[in-house]
Amino acid sequence: LMLLLGIIILSSYLIGSVNGGLIISKLQGLDIRTKGSGNAGATNVLRVIGIKSGVLVFIIDCLKGFLALYFTQVLITNTNNPLDLNIDLYLYFSSFASLLGHCYPVWFSFKGGKGAATGLGNILFINPFLITLPLIVFIGTLFFFRYVGLSTITAFLSLFIFGYFSIGFSDYVFLIYLFLLFLFIVFTHRTNISSMLDKTEHKVSFFK
């Protein structure tokens, strides 16, 4: 049933395209992509508009990553026909489709965020236990280096490593998914990487 996979990819992409940063900033009368770093993610919203809006955007972007996979599971469980693929594969396709929707939203001229919160929402649905270590790594990296981008990349790398040590090769497809997720995050944060190397990347200040 490649039709089912097509519906899952399209619906997940459209759910992912509902961009929290753009909606919240438009309600404030501005386009977040023209301010700060020009990114439509929670970090830039937090920096430009404020903490309340930033947290709200993070929750929206995380929630849609969760909902895209939830909707996929509902579609799978309600289909009467035998599935062509393993159930997990449908979830992984759904995950990447929602991430593409977030980063390249059809409603907002394909310019969105970087996928970290949406990716977190995806993992919360697939295996919430795996979030624990990456969260500690994120906070630790942010505290020591004060770069959100670097903290995000290391968190997703630790997610892959933690996945490997907790699951092993018993579910190698899931490990491939986690590794591709890490590569996706590295790709969307490529401008952060180059500006960190140039020492022009914005540092978070905890004590103003």
Side-chain angles (χ1 to χ4, degrees):
L1 268 177
M2 294 325 272
L3 176 67
L4 177 66
L5 184 62
I7 292 168
I8 284 169
I9 289 171
L10 183 64
S11 61
S12 300
Y13 172 78
L14 293 176
I15 291 168
S17 285
V18 178
N19 193 292
L22 291 165
I23 294 164
I24 299 297
S25 67
K26 297 269 191 200
L27 290 173
Q28 308 267 1
L30 57 101
D31 185 338
I32 193 66
R33 294 168 301 184
T34 61
K35 308 279 181 203
S37 67
N39 186 256
T43 310
N44 197 35
V45 172
L46 189 136
R47 212 174 278 151
V48 174
I49 303 174
I51 193 154
K52 277 187 195 164
S53 295
V55 170
L56 185 59
V57 168
F58 182 82
I59 291 166
I60 292 169
D61 291 346
C62 185
L63 191 62
K64 73 186 183 190
F66 187 90
L67 287 175
L69 270 64
Y70 174 76
F71 184 64
T72 294
Q73 193 163 45
V74 169
L75 277 176
I76 293 166
T77 46
N78 288 330
T79 182
N80 301 320
N81 303 309
L83 298 172
D84 293 342
L85 305 168
N86 180 305
I87 288 177
D88 292 342
L89 281 171
Y90 287 102
L91 291 175
Y92 305 154
F93 273 109
S94 171
S95 166
F96 280 114
S98 67
L99 286 167
L100 284 170
H102 175 74
C103 299
Y104 308 101
V106 64
W107 327 114
F108 301 105
S109 59
F110 303 100
K111 195 165 182 284
K114 292 181 183 171
T118 307
L120 174 66
N122 292 159
I123 299 297
L124 278 171
F125 184 87
I126 295 169
N127 187 344
F129 161 72
L130 288 178
I131 294 299
T132 48
L133 185 77
L135 200 60
I136 295 164
V137 168
F138 178 87
I139 294 164
T141 311
L142 191 63
F143 187 77
F144 283 107
F145 296 99
R146 310 214 319 270
Y147 291 127
V148 175
L150 180 67
S151 307
T152 305
I153 292 165
T154 49
F156 276 88
L157 176 61
S158 73
L159 175 67
F160 166 69
I161 296 165
F162 188 35
Y164 170 71
F165 282 109
S166 58
I167 298 160
F169 276 117
S170 60
D171 189 353
Y172 70 94
V173 180
F174 183 55
L175 287 180
I176 293 168
Y177 161 71
L178 289 180
F179 189 66
L180 290 174
L181 187 60
F182 162 65
L183 292 180
F184 185 88
I185 293 295
V186 170
F187 174 76
T188 59
H189 285 79
R190 62 195 184 280
T191 52
N192 301 75
I193 294 166
S194 61
S195 56
M196 275 187 279
L197 294 171
D198 297 343
K199 296 189 167 47
T200 54
E201 177 79 351
H202 182 91
K203 281 193 173 185
V204 174
S205 49
F206 299 110
F207 313 103
K208 293 209 164 139

Coordinates of all heavy atoms in Angstrom, one line a residue, residues 1-32:
L1 N 0.8 -1.2 0.0 CA 0.0 0.0 0.0 C 0.9 1.3 0.0 O 1.0 1.9 1.0 CB -0.9 0.0 1.2 CG -2.3 -0.6 1.1 CD1 -3.0 -0.6 2.4 CD2 -3.1 0.1 0.0
M2 N 1.4 1.6 -1.1 CA 2.3 2.7 -1.2 C 1.4 4.0 -1.1 O 1.9 5.1 -0.7 CB 3.1 2.8 -2.5 CG 4.1 1.7 -2.7 SD 4.9 1.2 -1.1 CE 6.3 2.4 -1.1
L3 N 0.1 3.8 -1.3 CA -0.8 5.0 -1.1 C -0.8 5.4 0.3 O -0.8 6.6 0.7 CB -2.2 4.6 -1.6 CG -3.3 5.6 -1.3 CD1 -3.1 6.8 -2.2 CD2 -4.7 5.0 -1.5
L4 N -0.8 4.4 1.2 CA -0.8 4.7 2.7 C 0.4 5.4 3.1 O 0.4 6.4 3.8 CB -0.9 3.4 3.5 CG -0.8 3.5 5.0 CD1 -2.0 4.3 5.6 CD2 -0.7 2.2 5.7
L5 N 1.6 5.0 2.5 CA 2.8 5.7 2.8 C 2.8 7.1 2.3 O 3.3 8.0 3.0 CB 4.0 4.9 2.2 CG 5.4 5.5 2.5 CD1 5.7 5.4 4.0 CD2 6.5 4.7 1.7
G6 N 2.2 7.3 1.1 CA 2.1 8.6 0.5 C 1.2 9.5 1.4 O 1.6 10.7 1.6
I7 N 0.1 9.0 1.9 CA -0.8 9.8 2.7 C 0.0 10.2 4.0 O -0.1 11.3 4.5 CB -2.1 9.0 3.1 CG1 -2.9 8.8 1.8 CG2 -2.9 9.7 4.2 CD1 -4.1 7.8 1.9
I8 N 0.7 9.2 4.6 CA 1.5 9.5 5.8 C 2.5 10.5 5.6 O 2.6 11.5 6.4 CB 2.1 8.1 6.3 CG1 1.0 7.3 7.0 CG2 3.2 8.4 7.3 CD1 1.5 5.8 7.3
I9 N 3.3 10.4 4.5 CA 4.3 11.4 4.3 C 3.7 12.8 4.1 O 4.2 13.8 4.6 CB 5.2 11.0 3.1 CG1 6.1 9.8 3.5 CG2 6.1 12.2 2.6 CD1 6.8 9.1 2.3
L10 N 2.6 12.9 3.3 CA 2.0 14.2 3.0 C 1.4 14.8 4.2 O 1.6 16.0 4.5 CB 0.9 14.0 1.9 CG 0.2 15.3 1.5 CD1 1.2 16.3 0.8 CD2 -0.9 15.0 0.5
S11 N 0.6 14.0 5.0 CA 0.0 14.5 6.2 C 1.0 14.9 7.2 O 0.9 16.0 7.9 CB -1.0 13.5 6.8 OG -0.3 12.3 7.2
S12 N 2.1 14.2 7.4 CA 3.1 14.5 8.4 C 3.9 15.8 8.0 O 4.2 16.6 8.8 CB 4.1 13.4 8.5 OG 3.5 12.2 8.9
Y13 N 4.1 15.9 6.6 CA 4.7 17.1 6.1 C 3.8 18.4 6.4 O 4.3 19.4 6.9 CB 5.0 17.0 4.6 CG 5.5 18.3 4.0 CD1 6.8 18.7 4.2 CD2 4.6 19.1 3.3 CE1 7.2 19.9 3.6 CE2 5.0 20.3 2.8 CZ 6.3 20.7 2.9 OH 6.7 21.9 2.4
L14 N 2.5 18.2 6.2 CA 1.6 19.3 6.4 C 1.5 19.7 7.9 O 1.5 20.9 8.2 CB 0.3 19.0 5.8 CG 0.2 18.9 4.3 CD1 -1.2 18.5 3.8 CD2 0.6 20.2 3.6
I15 N 1.5 18.7 8.7 CA 1.5 18.9 10.2 C 2.7 19.7 10.6 O 2.7 20.6 11.3 CB 1.3 17.6 11.0 CG1 -0.1 17.1 10.8 CG2 1.5 17.9 12.5 CD1 -0.3 15.6 11.3
G16 N 3.9 19.2 10.1 CA 5.2 19.8 10.4 C 5.3 21.2 9.9 O 6.0 22.1 10.4
S17 N 4.5 21.5 8.8 CA 4.6 22.9 8.2 C 3.9 23.9 9.0 O 4.0 25.1 8.8 CB 3.9 22.9 6.8 OG 4.7 22.2 5.9
V18 N 3.1 23.5 10.0 CA 2.5 24.5 10.9 C 3.6 25.0 11.8 O 3.9 24.4 12.8 CB 1.3 23.9 11.7 CG1 0.7 24.9 12.7 CG2 0.3 23.3 10.8
N19 N 4.1 26.2 11.4 CA 5.3 26.7 12.1 C 5.0 27.6 13.3 O 4.5 28.7 13.0 CB 6.2 27.3 11.1 CG 7.6 27.6 11.7 OD1 7.8 28.4 12.6 ND2 8.6 26.9 11.1
G20 N 5.3 27.1 14.5 CA 5.0 27.9 15.7 C 5.6 29.3 15.7 O 4.9 30.3 16.0
G21 N 6.9 29.4 15.3 CA 7.6 30.6 15.3 C 7.0 31.7 14.4 O 6.9 32.9 14.8
L22 N 6.6 31.2 13.2 CA 6.0 32.2 12.3 C 4.6 32.6 12.7 O 4.3 33.8 12.6 CB 6.0 31.5 10.9 CG 7.4 31.3 10.3 CD1 7.3 30.4 9.1 CD2 7.9 32.6 9.8
I23 N 3.8 31.7 13.2 CA 2.5 32.0 13.7 C 2.5 33.0 14.8 O 1.9 34.1 14.8 CB 1.7 30.8 14.0 CG1 1.4 29.9 12.8 CG2 0.3 31.1 14.7 CD1 1.0 28.5 13.1
I24 N 3.3 32.7 15.8 CA 3.4 33.6 17.0 C 4.0 34.9 16.7 O 3.5 36.0 17.1 CB 4.3 32.9 18.1 CG1 3.7 31.6 18.6 CG2 4.5 33.8 19.3 CD1 2.4 31.6 19.3
S25 N 5.0 35.0 15.8 CA 5.6 36.3 15.4 C 4.6 37.1 14.5 O 4.5 38.3 14.7 CB 6.9 36.1 14.7 OG 6.8 35.5 13.4
K26 N 3.9 36.4 13.7 CA 2.9 37.1 12.8 C 1.8 37.8 13.7 O 1.3 38.9 13.5 CB 2.2 36.2 11.8 CG 3.2 35.6 10.8 CD 3.3 36.4 9.5 CE 4.1 35.6 8.5 NZ 4.6 36.5 7.4
L27 N 1.4 37.0 14.8 CA 0.4 37.6 15.7 C 1.0 38.8 16.5 O 0.2 39.6 16.9 CB 0.0 36.5 16.8 CG -0.8 35.3 16.2 CD1 -1.0 34.2 17.3 CD2 -2.2 35.8 15.8
Q28 N 2.3 38.9 16.6 CA 2.9 40.0 17.2 C 3.2 41.1 16.2 O 3.9 42.1 16.5 CB 4.3 39.6 17.8 CG 4.2 38.4 18.8 CD 4.0 38.8 20.2 OE1 3.9 40.0 20.5 NE2 3.9 37.8 21.1
G29 N 2.8 40.9 14.9 CA 3.0 41.9 13.9 C 4.3 41.9 13.3 O 4.7 42.9 12.7
L30 N 5.1 40.8 13.4 CA 6.4 40.8 12.7 C 6.7 39.4 12.1 O 6.0 38.4 12.4 CB 7.5 41.2 13.6 CG 7.7 40.4 14.9 CD1 8.9 39.5 14.8 CD2 8.0 41.4 16.1
D31 N 7.6 39.4 11.2 CA 8.1 38.1 10.6 C 9.4 37.8 11.2 O 10.4 38.5 11.0 CB 8.2 38.2 9.1 CG 8.5 36.9 8.4 OD1 9.1 36.0 9.1 OD2 8.3 36.7 7.2
I32 N 9.4 36.7 12.0 CA 10.6 36.3 12.8 C 11.8 36.1 11.9 O 13.0 36.2 12.3 CB 10.3 35.1 13.7 CG1 11.5 34.9 14.8 CG2 10.1 33.8 12.9 CD1 11.6 36.0 15.8

